[in-house]
Amino acid sequence: GAVVSQHPSWVICKSGTSVKIECRSLDFQATTMFWYRQFPKQSLMLMATSNEGSKATYEQGVEKDKFLINHASLTLSTLTVTSAHPEDSSFYICSARSPTGGGENSPLHFGNGTRLTVT
Amino acid sequence: QQQVKQSPQSLIVQKGGISIINCAYENTAFDYFPWYQQFPGKGPALLIAIRPDVSEKKEGRFTISFNKSAKQFSLHIMDSQPGDSASYFCAASPGTSYDKVIFGPGTSLSVIP
């Protein structure tokens, strides 16, 4: 079964509102989680690295004030899209690495994504 | 600039045939090369991965071939099945940060009966 859970799986919101997406590691603790964005028929682009107990690290070109990340606990990271606009409509996916082994030997698990549509 | 290139963009293969997807990279710091499979509306799932000190890795019907000098690697799906129809992404990570997964642009595979 899935080891990383995202909620909601889809959301529709009006332009100007904020939307929160949750990412949970179900059976392991994740000090680091990752948020990706994927446009239709395109690849995943890493947006930011969420760190438990410290600030998120954002990739170049990603607005940190637009995409607020909070790693509230060792099993939960949230992404809030603030003042959403239609161009923010996308598929948002989180991932986390289960701790066994370390490095590339620990599998990187992805959530099933959240489809955001801003009208 | 695309750090990981992938081709073809889309691929149609008959059931039982071989599906071949090619990738290339430039950054010599990349040290880990996973392949992900993604079905519509789902997150990607790790299919198979390889390190550059190995030229080939096989898991069931899936084989990765790696050419370090050419900085190219490919995925072969033998005996392709309709259930293999999905998007496939090659990816790369630097040895200093395996968590930083850089995805290729993806290949949409359709296996027709």
Side-chain angles (χ1 to χ4, degrees):
Chain A
V3 294
V4 173
S5 175
Q6 267 185 256
H7 179 80
S9 56
W10 60 270
V11 57
I12 301 173
C13 71
K14 290 188 176 181
S15 186
T17 62
S18 295
V19 174
K20 180 185 287 188
I21 302 169
E22 293 185 347
C23 179
R24 295 181 184 272
S25 55
L26 297 183
D27 51 6
F28 65 95
Q29 294 183 333
T31 56
T32 305
M33 292 184 177
F34 309 91
W35 287 97
Y36 293 82
R37 183 174 182 176
Q38 184 178 32
F39 290 105
K41 298 188 184 302
Q42 293 190 28
S43 189
L44 286 80
M45 301 298 295
L46 179 64
M47 297 175 65
T49 302
S50 171
N51 304 298
E52 191 271 336
S54 64
K55 290 182 179 180
T57 305
Y58 290 83
E59 296 299 304
Q60 191 174 9
V62 177
E63 298 176 61
K64 61 181 181 181
D65 296 329
K66 173 77 170 175
F67 299 100
L68 299 180
I69 292 173
N70 182 23
H71 203 128
S73 73
L74 287 172
T75 59
L76 174 64
S77 174
T78 59
L79 168 68
T80 301
V81 183
T82 62
S83 186
H85 290 282
E87 58 265 30
D88 298 324
S89 298
S90 189
F91 194 50
Y92 293 88
I93 307 173
C94 70
S95 71
R97 191 179 294 280
S98 56
T100 56
E104 84 277 18
N105 295 318
S106 301
L108 192 62
H109 300 283
F110 286 82
N112 277 331
T114 297
R115 173 76 57 196
L116 169 64
T117 302
V118 184
T119 61
Chain B
Q1 183 183 0
Q2 210 170 72
Q3 293 196 56
V4 179
K5 298 180 180 180
Q6 184 172 348
S7 63
Q9 186 176 9
S10 62
L11 181 61
I12 300 174
V13 173
Q14 286 232 304
K15 179 182 175 182
I18 303 174
S19 303
I20 302 174
I21 303 171
N22 300 301
C23 287
Y25 66 98
E26 287 297 326
N27 190 345
T28 54
F30 288 147
D31 192 43
Y32 176 64
F33 301 87
W35 284 86
Y36 289 89
Q37 179 189 56
Q38 184 181 30
F39 292 102
K42 302 293 184 182
L46 179 65
L47 198 59
I48 186 173
I50 197 168
R51 291 284 304 275
D53 51 353
V54 176
S55 61
E56 186 175 282
K57 183 174 181 180
K58 183 176 180 180
E59 288 185 2
R61 297 185 294 110
F62 301 93
T63 300
I64 301 178
S65 297
F66 194 92
N67 185 330
K68 187 175 180 179
S69 60
K71 288 186 273 189
Q72 296 175 347
F73 57 112
S74 61
L75 175 70
H76 290 60
I77 305 175
M78 313 300 287
D79 187 26
S80 299
Q81 299 296 313
D84 297 330
S85 298
S87 292
Y88 291 82
F89 296 91
C90 61
S93 294
T96 52
S97 178
Y98 290 114
D99 293 334
K100 280 237 174 181
V101 180
I102 309 298
F103 286 84
T107 296
S108 176
L109 171 65
S110 296
V111 181
I112 55 176

